[in-house]
Structure formats: C-alpha cells, structure tokens
Amino acid sequence: MNKSWAMLFCAIITQTSFAGISLEEGLAAYDEKNYAQAAQILPKYLEGSTEAQWAMVNLYAEGLGVKQDKEAAMKLARDAATHRHIPAALYLAKAYKDGNGVKADFQRAITWYRKAALYGDLETQVYLGELYENGEGVKKNHRESQKWFLKAAEQGHAKAQRKLGEIYEEGRGTQQNHGAAIKWYSKAAEQGDAVAQFALGRYYASGIIVEKDFAKALLWMNKASKQGFAEAENEIDGLKSKLACIESSKTNLFGELLNCTDRESLRLSLKTKGIKILKENDHLKGDWYDPSRLEKGAAELYIEYSGLGLFTFARYKYPSDNDPLLVQRVKQKIQKQYGKPTETKGFVRQGKVAYIWNLSDGLTIKAYRYWPDTTTFVEYVKSDTSSTITSNQ
C-alpha cells in the first residue's frame, strides 16, 4: 500500500471511528484534556453549539490537538459571541485590547466588553464602570460609569455597590445623596467590602443622615481593620476614647457632647443641621454662626476651641430691646434639659441677672443679661480641659 492510500485509509478509519459520537462525548473529551479526540468530534457540532465553538476556540488558540490557528479561533469566537456566549465575547475583547492574533484596537475591545456586560457578566460591568469613571481608553463619563455599576450592584456585586456609595457620597455626575450612599455602602459592607465598612463607620461617627453612634462606627471600623484596612485602624483608638467619654458626659450642643467633641466634628454637626455659617477660619480660635433657623431668638453663636482643636467655649446671643423677661424664658428652656440652676444671681424684673448650672460632667452653663440692655447671653464653658480627648476624625 503506497503512502497516499495509507493516509486515505487512516482518514476513513478515523471518520468511521468518531461517527455517531455525541456532542456531550466531544465536550467530555475536551474537559478530560483529550484534545486530539475532541478536535475530531467537535467540528461536527459547530453549527448551533456555542459550547463546541468555545472549546474549538481554545484548541485553535493554543494549538491543542490541532495546528494553532488564531484566525480560526477569532472566527469561532465571533460566532459564539453573537449568540450571547460571554467567555467568547471576553476572548474577543482581550484579543483586540492586547493585539493577540489581531491588530490592537481598543475601541473594538470596548465593543466586545460592552456585549459581555450586556449579556450579564458582572465583572465586565464593573470593569466598564471603572473605565468610564477614570476615562481609561474612553471619554470620562460619570453617567455611563454609574449605569454599569448599578447593573452589577443590583445583582449583588459588592464592589459595584461600594462604587455607587462613593458616587452618591461625593455627588459625582449626580446629585449628592447621603441616604443612597449609606444604602449602597451598607449592602457592600455586609458582604465584607472593607472600604465600604470604613465609609459606613465614618457615617455613624459623623452623624450625617444617620444618628451619630460611636458604637456602630467602632463595629464597622473593627471589621475593616481586621481585613488590613489601615485607615480604619487609625480611627479605632479615637472612637474608643469617645465611647468612654460619652459614658460620663451629658452637656451637648446640637447633639454634640461638648466634653467629647472637636472643631471638625462640631462643624460637621452644625452643617448637617443647616446652621448658617458667618465665619469659619482655622487660623482663628473661634467660629461664628447664625443659629436662628434652629434656635428661636438667637442671632449669633460663637464657638471657641483649644490649640488642639477641642471644644472649650460657646456663647449664644439673644438680642432684646427692653424685654426683661427674655432671660427667664431662656433659663426655662435650659432648665427643661438640665434641671434647676445651681446658682441664681440678681432679679429678673430689674438689674443684672445670671443663672448658673454647674454640671456633673465638668461643664458650666451660664444664662445672663446686663442692665439696662436686656440682650441675653448663654455660655457653655468647659472648665477642665485636661480631661478631654483628642478626636481622630
């Protein structure tokens, strides 16, 4: 038998040997790394089977059981990708991105990445979100970025949920929305995302939207810290100190315990409450505000801090034109919160008047007026600055 007849005989025997073998057996041969056998069986099923197409893509791409043919691999990948096969779409995207078997073309790569994302691949949705977020190879587009993060986030992808939290917290390409930020941070944090846990801890520590809760803040900071998130670790000692301080403190201003607060925290609380800023300057000892929106009758609030930025003093000013009972009304309001004053000086109907509360946490509150000017003042004074803490916020 000559050589040509021998080759024909082998081909006939081979075709006969694989006749009637099913697609499942071909795919099993591929899975078992019997590539030569898979390469004989699977071509019969390329029409209509994305599984067969995808297996042959890998065989041609790597030269497994067949002669390496990257052009054939690309053709089969296109066939599979047009039938919503995600790995095939990603193969094409990466090939165009890296110039592997084709000329590098990032725009074509993006086309196939988008198809994979639209087919439902979560990681690709996040990848596209980051590309548009940073403008890598595409024009920066916050709306497009948010769209892809949202698709993945709604399907439970933790990183995408955290990214949405960042978008809403910072107002990137959308209106700032702390409520939405907390919603998405919470979902990501529950899944163990350390960055989201840190962000959620900050929200509870600052009291933006949520009620200020140092215990919850510490809980989330601890979770993030255990995953090696250094910024969370830096917050833990300060939060522990604040929790200890809270146990022995009672005097507050707009929800801030004055023994336990600092300039940054108090400024944030005032901003959250909507207090109008008259002057804030880090180079001055104090800040000035118009508190009239929340404190009826008050025209000015001055707050002073120590060199370390800790609260030391606050004074309300209640302007009055010949209203001798104003100081008594102010006193009654304070009395509802802190009880009767520990000391009273003067007479409310005429002359100088002062009501003083010496509180158990070391703070002193004083409501007073001069005479004949009936303008009334209320002061909060921290008498023992040595017992205060330094905030790490």
Side-chain angles (χ1 to χ4, degrees):
M1 183 182 295
N2 62 36
K3 185 176 180 181
S4 60
W5 276 105
M7 292 177 64
L8 178 60
F9 179 74
C10 288
I12 293 171
I13 292 298
T14 300
Q15 290 176 7
T16 303
S17 299
F18 292 106
I21 296 180
S22 68
L23 169 62
E24 288 71 23
E25 290 174 289
L27 293 173
Y30 175 82
D31 290 339
E32 293 165 4
K33 299 185 180 181
N34 191 344
Y35 298 128
Q37 184 178 358
Q40 291 290 338
I41 300 170
L42 293 177
K44 295 172 25 179
Y45 298 99
L46 293 178
E47 196 68 36
S49 171
T50 55
E51 291 93 339
Q53 291 170 340
W54 177 239
M56 289 303 299
V57 167
N58 289 289
L59 295 181
Y60 278 122
E62 302 298 329
L64 302 172
V66 293
K67 183 179 179 180
Q68 188 177 48
D69 188 338
K70 292 188 176 182
E71 186 176 340
M74 290 289 288
K75 181 179 183 304
L76 287 170
R78 285 192 190 91
D79 290 342
T82 54
H83 291 88
R84 305 182 66 84
H85 192 274
I86 291 172
L90 292 174
Y91 175 87
L92 292 168
K94 195 168 188 313
Y96 280 113
K97 179 184 176 184
D98 299 339
N100 184 14
V102 289
K103 184 179 178 181
D105 188 332
F106 196 73
Q107 292 310 307
R108 285 194 177 185
I110 290 293
T111 297
W112 289 108
Y113 277 127
R114 289 178 68 89
K115 287 183 183 294
L118 289 170
Y119 296 161
D121 187 68
L122 301 188
E123 294 299 333
T124 306
Q125 289 168 356
V126 175
Y127 175 66
L128 284 174
E130 291 178 322
L131 287 185
Y132 284 106
E133 176 184 53
N134 301 317
E136 296 177 5
V138 293
K139 187 176 180 180
K140 185 179 289 190
N141 187 326
H142 290 305
R143 288 188 178 275
E144 190 74 4
S145 173
Q146 184 179 354
K147 178 184 81 173
W148 290 114
F149 286 139
L150 182 60
K151 283 182 180 293
E154 288 178 336
Q155 298 174 77
H157 195 285
K159 184 177 181 180
Q161 291 169 341
R162 183 242 298 169
K163 284 288 188 179
L164 280 179
E166 293 172 354
I167 286 171
Y168 282 115
E169 180 182 6
E170 298 170 17
R172 293 201 310 254
T174 188
Q175 187 173 358
Q176 189 179 50
N177 186 333
H178 291 297
I182 290 171
K183 167 191 167 182
W184 289 111
Y185 278 142
S186 297
K187 289 179 181 291
E190 291 289 353
Q191 294 195 72
D193 186 282
V195 180
Q197 290 168 344
F198 172 73
L200 200 56
R202 281 184 313 160
Y203 267 110
Y204 281 114
S206 65
I208 297 178
I209 299 297
V210 294
E211 184 177 350
K212 183 173 290 191
D213 190 328
F214 292 126
K216 284 186 178 178
L218 182 60
L219 171 71
W220 288 112
M221 291 299 180
N222 275 325
K223 287 180 180 290
S225 176
K226 287 177 181 178
Q227 298 189 70
F229 197 75
E231 289 183 66
E233 177 65 32
N234 295 337
E235 297 287 332
I236 289 174
D237 287 344
L239 288 170
K240 286 180 178 178
S241 296
K242 286 192 172 184
L243 280 170
C245 179
I246 286 169
E247 292 178 3
S248 60
S249 298
K250 60 183 292 185
T251 315
N252 74 81
L253 195 65
F254 294 107
E256 282 287 317
L257 289 168
L258 297 182
N259 260 342
C260 312
T261 195
D262 58 22
R263 195 168 203 162
E264 183 179 354
S265 298
L266 195 44
R267 276 180 175 178
L268 183 56
S269 289
L270 293 172
K271 180 181 178 181
T272 302
K273 300 293 191 302
I275 299 295
K276 183 180 179 181
I277 300 170
L278 297 179
K279 182 189 290 185
E280 285 185 342
N281 189 328
D282 291 338
H283 299 294
L284 300 177
K285 288 180 66 175
D287 299 324
W288 285 263
Y289 303 90
D290 176 356
S292 57
R293 181 173 171 269
L294 293 180
E295 181 63 25
K296 186 178 179 181
E300 182 182 277
L301 171 62
Y302 170 72
I303 304 175
E304 194 168 284
Y305 303 90
S306 72
L308 295 174
L310 304 174
F311 170 86
T312 58
F313 174 82
R315 182 182 61 232
Y316 277 113
K317 180 180 180 180
Y318 298 80
S320 170
D321 182 15
N322 196 28
D323 181 2
L325 297 181
L326 173 62
V327 70
Q328 187 177 48
R329 293 197 300 273
V330 171
K331 167 248 186 181
Q332 289 170 345
K333 184 174 183 179
I334 299 171
Q335 184 171 298
K336 285 181 181 179
Q337 187 171 2
Y338 298 105
K340 292 182 179 181
T342 53
E343 189 178 351
T344 300
K345 297 179 180 180
F347 300 95
V348 70
R349 291 288 178 181
Q350 186 175 8
K352 295 180 180 180
V353 178
Y355 301 100
I356 300 169
W357 288 260
N358 294 309
L359 302 175
S360 60
D361 60 1
L363 266 291
T364 298
I365 301 176
K366 181 180 179 182
Y368 63 94
R369 67 122 195 269
Y370 297 114
W371 190 266
D373 184 357
T374 55
T375 293
T376 296
F377 299 88
V378 175
E379 293 180 353
Y380 295 76
V381 182
K382 187 185 335 187
S383 56
D384 182 10
T385 57
S386 64
S387 64
T388 59
I389 65 166
T390 302
S391 166
N392 284 340
Q393 286 187 307

